Amino acid sequence: MNRKGKLYFRYGTMGSAKTALLLTTAYNFEERKMRFLCLKPVIDTRDNKNVIKSRIGIERECGWIYPDTDLYQYAKDYFKGINAVVDWFLVDEAQFLTAAQVDQLSRVVDDFGSNVICYGLRTDFKTNLFEGSRRLFEIADTIDEIKSTCSCGHKTIVNARIDANGDIVSEGEQVEIGGDERYIAVCRKCWRRKRIEQNVRQILPFPELLAEVEREGEDI
């Protein structure tokens, strides 16, 4: 087969418009009459339906990827059903893929010449790589960062999990689905400063002492 595809990984923190980019890309493909398919892991159940939905309000139907889905076989069956090869696969929340599923997508690229663009997070709330993201960094043909800005002006790096009081959470399961009420994207410096402030608050309950520590934290 002469078709030459690529495996892309486009990553960013939460709120960096990854999903909006995927959806606008799908819209452009649709306008140009190109064959494409949108997919996302079923673990993301915030909408309780098979849609990819952006924070800005746009959405599109998609296919589910289950933990045991063989994406290579999925693609073969889909191609057979439409009697054609899809030009592009657009995968949202790719961090939730297994390493094996990323390898299966790479085979779709190599064997059928389809292009696969995976959109997702790099790391979890503890700054550890997700399984799917790790494998994409290892074997993707092209890796692009979708940048966003922290409230302080620096680039966001950390997807910090927060509690009902807005404090950063340091313990818990790697996967906990949530939006703005559970996560904030911050730069590494702000992430460290906020955690220091929280620890000090537990030791120094006096507001005037805490305020002084917070001022010193700004110089860290």
PDB file of all heavy atoms in Angstrom, residues 5-11 94 97 99 102-103 105-107 109-110 116-119 131-145:
ATOM      1  N   GLY A   5       0.761   7.303   6.205  1.00  0.00           N
ATOM      2  CA  GLY A   5       0.116   8.030   7.280  1.00  0.00           C
ATOM      3  C   GLY A   5       1.099   8.367   8.385  1.00  0.00           C
ATOM      4  O   GLY A   5       2.264   7.979   8.347  1.00  0.00           O
ATOM      5  N   LYS A   6       0.606   9.078   9.378  1.00  0.00           N
ATOM      6  CA  LYS A   6       1.409   9.421  10.547  1.00  0.00           C
ATOM      7  C   LYS A   6       0.585   9.257  11.807  1.00  0.00           C
ATOM      8  O   LYS A   6      -0.636   9.410  11.796  1.00  0.00           O
ATOM      9  CB  LYS A   6       1.897  10.873  10.452  1.00  0.00           C
ATOM     10  CG  LYS A   6       3.087  11.105   9.546  1.00  0.00           C
ATOM     11  CD  LYS A   6       3.587  12.544   9.692  1.00  0.00           C
ATOM     12  CE  LYS A   6       4.839  12.782   8.890  1.00  0.00           C
ATOM     13  NZ  LYS A   6       5.364  14.167   9.094  1.00  0.00           N
ATOM     14  N   LEU A   7       1.292   8.982  12.891  1.00  0.00           N
ATOM     15  CA  LEU A   7       0.694   8.954  14.213  1.00  0.00           C
ATOM     16  C   LEU A   7       1.107  10.233  14.926  1.00  0.00           C
ATOM     17  O   LEU A   7       2.299  10.482  15.141  1.00  0.00           O
ATOM     18  CB  LEU A   7       1.166   7.728  14.999  1.00  0.00           C
ATOM     19  CG  LEU A   7       0.718   7.629  16.460  1.00  0.00           C
ATOM     20  CD1 LEU A   7      -0.803   7.557  16.569  1.00  0.00           C
ATOM     21  CD2 LEU A   7       1.355   6.403  17.130  1.00  0.00           C
ATOM     22  N   TYR A   8       0.111  11.069  15.269  1.00  0.00           N
ATOM     23  CA  TYR A   8       0.360  12.345  15.917  1.00  0.00           C
ATOM     24  C   TYR A   8      -0.082  12.292  17.386  1.00  0.00           C
ATOM     25  O   TYR A   8      -1.082  11.670  17.708  1.00  0.00           O
ATOM     26  CB  TYR A   8      -0.448  13.472  15.253  1.00  0.00           C
ATOM     27  CG  TYR A   8      -0.170  13.719  13.798  1.00  0.00           C
ATOM     28  CD1 TYR A   8      -0.735  12.911  12.812  1.00  0.00           C
ATOM     29  CD2 TYR A   8       0.635  14.784  13.396  1.00  0.00           C
ATOM     30  CE1 TYR A   8      -0.501  13.162  11.461  1.00  0.00           C
ATOM     31  CE2 TYR A   8       0.866  15.042  12.048  1.00  0.00           C
ATOM     32  CZ  TYR A   8       0.293  14.219  11.088  1.00  0.00           C
ATOM     33  OH  TYR A   8       0.513  14.469   9.754  1.00  0.00           O
ATOM     34  N   PHE A   9       0.668  12.984  18.242  1.00  0.00           N
ATOM     35  CA  PHE A   9       0.221  13.188  19.614  1.00  0.00           C
ATOM     36  C   PHE A   9       0.238  14.681  19.892  1.00  0.00           C
ATOM     37  O   PHE A   9       1.284  15.338  19.826  1.00  0.00           O
ATOM     38  CB  PHE A   9       1.123  12.467  20.610  1.00  0.00           C
ATOM     39  CG  PHE A   9       0.672  12.587  22.050  1.00  0.00           C
ATOM     40  CD1 PHE A   9      -0.676  12.647  22.382  1.00  0.00           C
ATOM     41  CD2 PHE A   9       1.603  12.630  23.081  1.00  0.00           C
ATOM     42  CE1 PHE A   9      -1.100  12.755  23.706  1.00  0.00           C
ATOM     43  CE2 PHE A   9       1.198  12.734  24.405  1.00  0.00           C
ATOM     44  CZ  PHE A   9      -0.153  12.803  24.712  1.00  0.00           C
ATOM     45  N   ARG A  10      -0.940  15.228  20.184  1.00  0.00           N
ATOM     46  CA  ARG A  10      -1.079  16.632  20.524  1.00  0.00           C
ATOM     47  C   ARG A  10      -1.549  16.718  21.971  1.00  0.00           C
ATOM     48  O   ARG A  10      -2.666  16.320  22.278  1.00  0.00           O
ATOM     49  CB  ARG A  10      -2.055  17.322  19.568  1.00  0.00           C
ATOM     50  CG  ARG A  10      -1.509  17.360  18.142  1.00  0.00           C
ATOM     51  CD  ARG A  10      -2.449  17.983  17.144  1.00  0.00           C
ATOM     52  NE  ARG A  10      -1.810  18.029  15.831  1.00  0.00           N
ATOM     53  CZ  ARG A  10      -2.441  18.293  14.685  1.00  0.00           C
ATOM     54  NH1 ARG A  10      -3.746  18.560  14.702  1.00  0.00           N
ATOM     55  NH2 ARG A  10      -1.784  18.306  13.547  1.00  0.00           N
ATOM     56  N   TYR A  11      -0.679  17.197  22.828  1.00  0.00           N
ATOM     57  CA  TYR A  11      -0.974  17.173  24.258  1.00  0.00           C
ATOM     58  C   TYR A  11      -0.997  18.584  24.843  1.00  0.00           C
ATOM     59  O   TYR A  11      -0.381  19.520  24.319  1.00  0.00           O
ATOM     60  CB  TYR A  11       0.059  16.322  25.002  1.00  0.00           C
ATOM     61  CG  TYR A  11       1.431  16.960  25.093  1.00  0.00           C
ATOM     62  CD1 TYR A  11       1.782  17.720  26.203  1.00  0.00           C
ATOM     63  CD2 TYR A  11       2.372  16.805  24.072  1.00  0.00           C
ATOM     64  CE1 TYR A  11       3.038  18.319  26.301  1.00  0.00           C
ATOM     65  CE2 TYR A  11       3.620  17.401  24.150  1.00  0.00           C
ATOM     66  CZ  TYR A  11       3.943  18.156  25.263  1.00  0.00           C
ATOM     67  OH  TYR A  11       5.176  18.753  25.349  1.00  0.00           O
ATOM     68  N   ALA A  94      -6.726  10.709  24.813  1.00  0.00           N
ATOM     69  CA  ALA A  94      -5.846   9.590  24.463  1.00  0.00           C
ATOM     70  C   ALA A  94      -5.000   9.110  25.626  1.00  0.00           C
ATOM     71  O   ALA A  94      -4.446   8.006  25.575  1.00  0.00           O
ATOM     72  CB  ALA A  94      -4.945   9.993  23.294  1.00  0.00           C
ATOM     73  N   LEU A  97      -5.889   5.629  26.859  1.00  0.00           N
ATOM     74  CA  LEU A  97      -5.622   4.426  26.078  1.00  0.00           C
ATOM     75  C   LEU A  97      -4.594   3.558  26.798  1.00  0.00           C
ATOM     76  O   LEU A  97      -3.771   4.054  27.564  1.00  0.00           O
ATOM     77  CB  LEU A  97      -5.066   4.790  24.698  1.00  0.00           C
ATOM     78  CG  LEU A  97      -5.966   5.612  23.767  1.00  0.00           C
ATOM     79  CD1 LEU A  97      -5.188   6.002  22.516  1.00  0.00           C
ATOM     80  CD2 LEU A  97      -7.222   4.839  23.401  1.00  0.00           C
ATOM     81  N   ALA A  99      -1.234   1.043  26.525  1.00  0.00           N
ATOM     82  CA  ALA A  99      -0.064   1.029  25.649  1.00  0.00           C
ATOM     83  C   ALA A  99      -0.318   0.141  24.437  1.00  0.00           C
ATOM     84  O   ALA A  99       0.093   0.460  23.316  1.00  0.00           O
ATOM     85  CB  ALA A  99       1.158   0.543  26.431  1.00  0.00           C
ATOM     86  N   VAL A 102      -2.316   1.991  21.809  1.00  0.00           N
ATOM     87  CA  VAL A 102      -1.489   2.929  21.048  1.00  0.00           C
ATOM     88  C   VAL A 102      -0.711   2.167  19.982  1.00  0.00           C
ATOM     89  O   VAL A 102      -0.593   2.615  18.836  1.00  0.00           O
ATOM     90  CB  VAL A 102      -0.532   3.701  21.980  1.00  0.00           C
ATOM     91  CG1 VAL A 102       0.438   4.567  21.162  1.00  0.00           C
ATOM     92  CG2 VAL A 102      -1.324   4.566  22.952  1.00  0.00           C
ATOM     93  N   ASP A 103      -0.178   1.006  20.340  1.00  0.00           N
ATOM     94  CA  ASP A 103       0.527   0.179  19.355  1.00  0.00           C
ATOM     95  C   ASP A 103      -0.410  -0.245  18.230  1.00  0.00           C
ATOM     96  O   ASP A 103      -0.015  -0.303  17.058  1.00  0.00           O
ATOM     97  CB  ASP A 103       1.115  -1.059  20.031  1.00  0.00           C
ATOM     98  CG  ASP A 103       2.311  -0.734  20.913  1.00  0.00           C
ATOM     99  OD1 ASP A 103       2.911   0.354  20.735  1.00  0.00           O
ATOM    100  OD2 ASP A 103       2.637  -1.559  21.790  1.00  0.00           O
ATOM    101  N   LEU A 105      -3.001   1.425  17.123  1.00  0.00           N
ATOM    102  CA  LEU A 105      -3.190   2.599  16.265  1.00  0.00           C
ATOM    103  C   LEU A 105      -1.990   2.795  15.342  1.00  0.00           C
ATOM    104  O   LEU A 105      -2.147   3.195  14.180  1.00  0.00           O
ATOM    105  CB  LEU A 105      -3.409   3.846  17.115  1.00  0.00           C
ATOM    106  CG  LEU A 105      -4.753   3.948  17.837  1.00  0.00           C
ATOM    107  CD1 LEU A 105      -4.759   5.148  18.774  1.00  0.00           C
ATOM    108  CD2 LEU A 105      -5.908   4.045  16.843  1.00  0.00           C
ATOM    109  N   SER A 106      -0.806   2.527  15.861  1.00  0.00           N
ATOM    110  CA  SER A 106       0.389   2.669  15.020  1.00  0.00           C
ATOM    111  C   SER A 106       0.360   1.667  13.869  1.00  0.00           C
ATOM    112  O   SER A 106       0.827   1.961  12.762  1.00  0.00           O
ATOM    113  CB  SER A 106       1.665   2.500  15.852  1.00  0.00           C
ATOM    114  OG  SER A 106       1.866   1.154  16.255  1.00  0.00           O
ATOM    115  N   ARG A 107      -0.203   0.506  14.096  1.00  0.00           N
ATOM    116  CA  ARG A 107      -0.341  -0.483  13.022  1.00  0.00           C
ATOM    117  C   ARG A 107      -1.360  -0.036  11.984  1.00  0.00           C
ATOM    118  O   ARG A 107      -1.187  -0.297  10.787  1.00  0.00           O
ATOM    119  CB  ARG A 107      -0.763  -1.840  13.599  1.00  0.00           C
ATOM    120  CG  ARG A 107       0.319  -2.579  14.364  1.00  0.00           C
ATOM    121  CD  ARG A 107      -0.165  -3.984  14.728  1.00  0.00           C
ATOM    122  NE  ARG A 107      -0.457  -4.765  13.535  1.00  0.00           N
ATOM    123  CZ  ARG A 107      -1.247  -5.845  13.535  1.00  0.00           C
ATOM    124  NH1 ARG A 107      -1.857  -6.230  14.662  1.00  0.00           N
ATOM    125  NH2 ARG A 107      -1.456  -6.506  12.412  1.00  0.00           N
ATOM    126  N   VAL A 109      -1.815   3.018  11.136  1.00  0.00           N
ATOM    127  CA  VAL A 109      -1.043   3.983  10.342  1.00  0.00           C
ATOM    128  C   VAL A 109      -0.135   3.264   9.358  1.00  0.00           C
ATOM    129  O   VAL A 109      -0.114   3.573   8.153  1.00  0.00           O
ATOM    130  CB  VAL A 109      -0.212   4.890  11.274  1.00  0.00           C
ATOM    131  CG1 VAL A 109       0.738   5.767  10.461  1.00  0.00           C
ATOM    132  CG2 VAL A 109      -1.122   5.753  12.131  1.00  0.00           C
ATOM    133  N   ASP A 110       0.627   2.301   9.854  1.00  0.00           N
ATOM    134  CA  ASP A 110       1.641   1.639   9.027  1.00  0.00           C
ATOM    135  C   ASP A 110       1.045   0.719   7.974  1.00  0.00           C
ATOM    136  O   ASP A 110       1.550   0.653   6.843  1.00  0.00           O
ATOM    137  CB  ASP A 110       2.591   0.842   9.927  1.00  0.00           C
ATOM    138  CG  ASP A 110       3.377   1.724  10.878  1.00  0.00           C
ATOM    139  OD1 ASP A 110       3.488   2.932  10.603  1.00  0.00           O
ATOM    140  OD2 ASP A 110       3.866   1.202  11.904  1.00  0.00           O
ATOM    141  N   VAL A 116      -3.532   9.182  12.229  1.00  0.00           N
ATOM    142  CA  VAL A 116      -4.181   9.128  13.540  1.00  0.00           C
ATOM    143  C   VAL A 116      -3.669  10.297  14.377  1.00  0.00           C
ATOM    144  O   VAL A 116      -2.461  10.424  14.597  1.00  0.00           O
ATOM    145  CB  VAL A 116      -3.895   7.808  14.269  1.00  0.00           C
ATOM    146  CG1 VAL A 116      -4.527   7.825  15.654  1.00  0.00           C
ATOM    147  CG2 VAL A 116      -4.406   6.620  13.460  1.00  0.00           C
ATOM    148  N   ILE A 117      -4.600  11.155  14.817  1.00  0.00           N
ATOM    149  CA  ILE A 117      -4.232  12.260  15.713  1.00  0.00           C
ATOM    150  C   ILE A 117      -4.820  11.985  17.084  1.00  0.00           C
ATOM    151  O   ILE A 117      -6.039  11.883  17.232  1.00  0.00           O
ATOM    152  CB  ILE A 117      -4.752  13.625  15.213  1.00  0.00           C
ATOM    153  CG1 ILE A 117      -4.380  13.862  13.747  1.00  0.00           C
ATOM    154  CG2 ILE A 117      -4.171  14.737  16.080  1.00  0.00           C
ATOM    155  CD1 ILE A 117      -4.872  15.193  13.216  1.00  0.00           C
ATOM    156  N   CYS A 118      -3.951  11.847  18.063  1.00  0.00           N
ATOM    157  CA  CYS A 118      -4.377  11.616  19.439  1.00  0.00           C
ATOM    158  C   CYS A 118      -4.229  12.903  20.241  1.00  0.00           C
ATOM    159  O   CYS A 118      -3.161  13.529  20.235  1.00  0.00           O
ATOM    160  CB  CYS A 118      -3.520  10.521  20.082  1.00  0.00           C
ATOM    161  SG  CYS A 118      -3.745   8.888  19.349  1.00  0.00           S
ATOM    162  N   TYR A 119      -5.307  13.292  20.898  1.00  0.00           N
ATOM    163  CA  TYR A 119      -5.304  14.487  21.744  1.00  0.00           C
ATOM    164  C   TYR A 119      -5.420  14.038  23.204  1.00  0.00           C
ATOM    165  O   TYR A 119      -6.269  13.201  23.528  1.00  0.00           O
ATOM    166  CB  TYR A 119      -6.490  15.388  21.415  1.00  0.00           C
ATOM    167  CG  TYR A 119      -6.510  15.926  20.003  1.00  0.00           C
ATOM    168  CD1 TYR A 119      -6.991  15.151  18.949  1.00  0.00           C
ATOM    169  CD2 TYR A 119      -6.070  17.227  19.724  1.00  0.00           C
ATOM    170  CE1 TYR A 119      -7.018  15.652  17.653  1.00  0.00           C
ATOM    171  CE2 TYR A 119      -6.098  17.726  18.434  1.00  0.00           C
ATOM    172  CZ  TYR A 119      -6.572  16.933  17.400  1.00  0.00           C
ATOM    173  OH  TYR A 119      -6.603  17.430  16.115  1.00  0.00           O
ATOM    174  N   GLU A 131      -0.408   6.086  31.051  1.00  0.00           N
ATOM    175  CA  GLU A 131       0.095   4.980  30.236  1.00  0.00           C
ATOM    176  C   GLU A 131       0.016   5.290  28.744  1.00  0.00           C
ATOM    177  O   GLU A 131       0.976   5.096  27.995  1.00  0.00           O
ATOM    178  CB  GLU A 131      -0.703   3.704  30.544  1.00  0.00           C
ATOM    179  CG  GLU A 131      -0.269   2.510  29.705  1.00  0.00           C
ATOM    180  CD  GLU A 131      -1.100   1.257  29.991  1.00  0.00           C
ATOM    181  OE1 GLU A 131      -1.852   1.258  30.979  1.00  0.00           O
ATOM    182  OE2 GLU A 131      -0.983   0.289  29.219  1.00  0.00           O
ATOM    183  N   GLY A 132      -1.158   5.755  28.311  1.00  0.00           N
ATOM    184  CA  GLY A 132      -1.319   6.037  26.890  1.00  0.00           C
ATOM    185  C   GLY A 132      -0.396   7.144  26.416  1.00  0.00           C
ATOM    186  O   GLY A 132       0.192   7.065  25.329  1.00  0.00           O
ATOM    187  N   SER A 133      -0.240   8.175  27.226  1.00  0.00           N
ATOM    188  CA  SER A 133       0.631   9.291  26.862  1.00  0.00           C
ATOM    189  C   SER A 133       2.087   8.851  26.776  1.00  0.00           C
ATOM    190  O   SER A 133       2.824   9.256  25.876  1.00  0.00           O
ATOM    191  CB  SER A 133       0.490  10.421  27.892  1.00  0.00           C
ATOM    192  OG  SER A 133      -0.855  10.846  27.987  1.00  0.00           O
ATOM    193  N   ARG A 134       2.496   8.042  27.736  1.00  0.00           N
ATOM    194  CA  ARG A 134       3.874   7.554  27.718  1.00  0.00           C
ATOM    195  C   ARG A 134       4.180   6.824  26.405  1.00  0.00           C
ATOM    196  O   ARG A 134       5.217   7.061  25.769  1.00  0.00           O
ATOM    197  CB  ARG A 134       4.134   6.610  28.896  1.00  0.00           C
ATOM    198  CG  ARG A 134       5.559   6.062  28.936  1.00  0.00           C
ATOM    199  CD  ARG A 134       5.705   4.995  30.021  1.00  0.00           C
ATOM    200  NE  ARG A 134       5.451   5.542  31.334  1.00  0.00           N
ATOM    201  CZ  ARG A 134       6.356   6.191  32.067  1.00  0.00           C
ATOM    202  NH1 ARG A 134       7.584   6.348  31.603  1.00  0.00           N
ATOM    203  NH2 ARG A 134       6.039   6.645  33.252  1.00  0.00           N
ATOM    204  N   ARG A 135       3.265   5.953  26.005  1.00  0.00           N
ATOM    205  CA  ARG A 135       3.511   5.183  24.787  1.00  0.00           C
ATOM    206  C   ARG A 135       3.494   6.072  23.544  1.00  0.00           C
ATOM    207  O   ARG A 135       4.281   5.867  22.620  1.00  0.00           O
ATOM    208  CB  ARG A 135       2.463   4.066  24.653  1.00  0.00           C
ATOM    209  CG  ARG A 135       2.792   3.043  23.577  1.00  0.00           C
ATOM    210  CD  ARG A 135       4.132   2.393  23.830  1.00  0.00           C
ATOM    211  NE  ARG A 135       4.482   1.413  22.824  1.00  0.00           N
ATOM    212  CZ  ARG A 135       5.736   1.131  22.469  1.00  0.00           C
ATOM    213  NH1 ARG A 135       6.759   1.763  23.057  1.00  0.00           N
ATOM    214  NH2 ARG A 135       5.985   0.228  21.551  1.00  0.00           N
ATOM    215  N   LEU A 136       2.632   7.077  23.553  1.00  0.00           N
ATOM    216  CA  LEU A 136       2.598   8.005  22.424  1.00  0.00           C
ATOM    217  C   LEU A 136       3.901   8.795  22.331  1.00  0.00           C
ATOM    218  O   LEU A 136       4.428   9.015  21.235  1.00  0.00           O
ATOM    219  CB  LEU A 136       1.407   8.952  22.557  1.00  0.00           C
ATOM    220  CG  LEU A 136       0.059   8.337  22.168  1.00  0.00           C
ATOM    221  CD1 LEU A 136      -1.103   9.159  22.725  1.00  0.00           C
ATOM    222  CD2 LEU A 136      -0.059   8.223  20.641  1.00  0.00           C
ATOM    223  N   PHE A 137       4.445   9.221  23.459  1.00  0.00           N
ATOM    224  CA  PHE A 137       5.738   9.900  23.439  1.00  0.00           C
ATOM    225  C   PHE A 137       6.823   8.983  22.888  1.00  0.00           C
ATOM    226  O   PHE A 137       7.774   9.447  22.243  1.00  0.00           O
ATOM    227  CB  PHE A 137       6.122  10.366  24.845  1.00  0.00           C
ATOM    228  CG  PHE A 137       5.556  11.698  25.221  1.00  0.00           C
ATOM    229  CD1 PHE A 137       4.676  11.819  26.287  1.00  0.00           C
ATOM    230  CD2 PHE A 137       5.902  12.847  24.520  1.00  0.00           C
ATOM    231  CE1 PHE A 137       4.150  13.056  26.636  1.00  0.00           C
ATOM    232  CE2 PHE A 137       5.385  14.084  24.867  1.00  0.00           C
ATOM    233  CZ  PHE A 137       4.502  14.193  25.925  1.00  0.00           C
ATOM    234  N   GLU A 138       6.683   7.703  23.133  1.00  0.00           N
ATOM    235  CA  GLU A 138       7.713   6.747  22.698  1.00  0.00           C
ATOM    236  C   GLU A 138       7.660   6.459  21.203  1.00  0.00           C
ATOM    237  O   GLU A 138       8.711   6.276  20.572  1.00  0.00           O
ATOM    238  CB  GLU A 138       7.556   5.436  23.486  1.00  0.00           C
ATOM    239  CG  GLU A 138       7.915   5.567  24.962  1.00  0.00           C
ATOM    240  CD  GLU A 138       7.514   4.353  25.781  1.00  0.00           C
ATOM    241  OE1 GLU A 138       6.699   3.528  25.304  1.00  0.00           O
ATOM    242  OE2 GLU A 138       8.023   4.221  26.919  1.00  0.00           O
ATOM    243  N   ILE A 139       6.452   6.430  20.608  1.00  0.00           N
ATOM    244  CA  ILE A 139       6.386   5.944  19.220  1.00  0.00           C
ATOM    245  C   ILE A 139       5.683   6.872  18.234  1.00  0.00           C
ATOM    246  O   ILE A 139       5.662   6.574  17.037  1.00  0.00           O
ATOM    247  CB  ILE A 139       5.706   4.559  19.151  1.00  0.00           C
ATOM    248  CG1 ILE A 139       4.222   4.656  19.519  1.00  0.00           C
ATOM    249  CG2 ILE A 139       6.428   3.540  20.024  1.00  0.00           C
ATOM    250  CD1 ILE A 139       3.453   3.358  19.220  1.00  0.00           C
ATOM    251  N   ALA A 140       5.123   7.998  18.676  1.00  0.00           N
ATOM    252  CA  ALA A 140       4.433   8.882  17.736  1.00  0.00           C
ATOM    253  C   ALA A 140       5.415   9.481  16.736  1.00  0.00           C
ATOM    254  O   ALA A 140       6.570   9.772  17.065  1.00  0.00           O
ATOM    255  CB  ALA A 140       3.704   9.983  18.492  1.00  0.00           C
ATOM    256  N   ASP A 141       4.945   9.680  15.505  1.00  0.00           N
ATOM    257  CA  ASP A 141       5.773  10.311  14.477  1.00  0.00           C
ATOM    258  C   ASP A 141       5.951  11.801  14.742  1.00  0.00           C
ATOM    259  O   ASP A 141       7.023  12.363  14.513  1.00  0.00           O
ATOM    260  CB  ASP A 141       5.125  10.134  13.096  1.00  0.00           C
ATOM    261  CG  ASP A 141       5.027   8.678  12.689  1.00  0.00           C
ATOM    262  OD1 ASP A 141       6.088   8.045  12.522  1.00  0.00           O
ATOM    263  OD2 ASP A 141       3.900   8.169  12.540  1.00  0.00           O
ATOM    264  N   THR A 142       4.882  12.440  15.197  1.00  0.00           N
ATOM    265  CA  THR A 142       4.899  13.887  15.429  1.00  0.00           C
ATOM    266  C   THR A 142       4.269  14.192  16.787  1.00  0.00           C
ATOM    267  O   THR A 142       3.196  13.683  17.094  1.00  0.00           O
ATOM    268  CB  THR A 142       4.117  14.635  14.331  1.00  0.00           C
ATOM    269  OG1 THR A 142       4.722  14.361  13.058  1.00  0.00           O
ATOM    270  CG2 THR A 142       4.130  16.138  14.579  1.00  0.00           C
ATOM    271  N   ILE A 143       4.945  15.008  17.590  1.00  0.00           N
ATOM    272  CA  ILE A 143       4.457  15.382  18.922  1.00  0.00           C
ATOM    273  C   ILE A 143       4.370  16.903  19.003  1.00  0.00           C
ATOM    274  O   ILE A 143       5.364  17.595  18.752  1.00  0.00           O
ATOM    275  CB  ILE A 143       5.380  14.844  20.027  1.00  0.00           C
ATOM    276  CG1 ILE A 143       5.440  13.312  19.971  1.00  0.00           C
ATOM    277  CG2 ILE A 143       4.905  15.305  21.405  1.00  0.00           C
ATOM    278  CD1 ILE A 143       6.478  12.701  20.900  1.00  0.00           C
ATOM    279  N   ASP A 144       3.194  17.406  19.325  1.00  0.00           N
ATOM    280  CA  ASP A 144       2.972  18.844  19.415  1.00  0.00           C
ATOM    281  C   ASP A 144       2.370  19.197  20.773  1.00  0.00           C
ATOM    282  O   ASP A 144       1.460  18.515  21.242  1.00  0.00           O
ATOM    283  CB  ASP A 144       2.016  19.326  18.319  1.00  0.00           C
ATOM    284  CG  ASP A 144       2.537  19.028  16.928  1.00  0.00           C
ATOM    285  OD1 ASP A 144       3.677  19.437  16.633  1.00  0.00           O
ATOM    286  OD2 ASP A 144       1.812  18.398  16.122  1.00  0.00           O
ATOM    287  N   GLU A 145       2.857  20.273  21.368  1.00  0.00           N
ATOM    288  CA  GLU A 145       2.288  20.756  22.623  1.00  0.00           C
ATOM    289  C   GLU A 145       1.282  21.860  22.339  1.00  0.00           C
ATOM    290  O   GLU A 145       1.570  22.803  21.594  1.00  0.00           O
ATOM    291  CB  GLU A 145       3.375  21.286  23.552  1.00  0.00           C
ATOM    292  CG  GLU A 145       2.832  21.753  24.899  1.00  0.00           C
ATOM    293  CD  GLU A 145       3.903  22.263  25.830  1.00  0.00           C
ATOM    294  OE1 GLU A 145       5.044  22.502  25.362  1.00  0.00           O
ATOM    295  OE2 GLU A 145       3.617  22.422  27.031  1.00  0.00           O
TER     296      GLU A 145
END
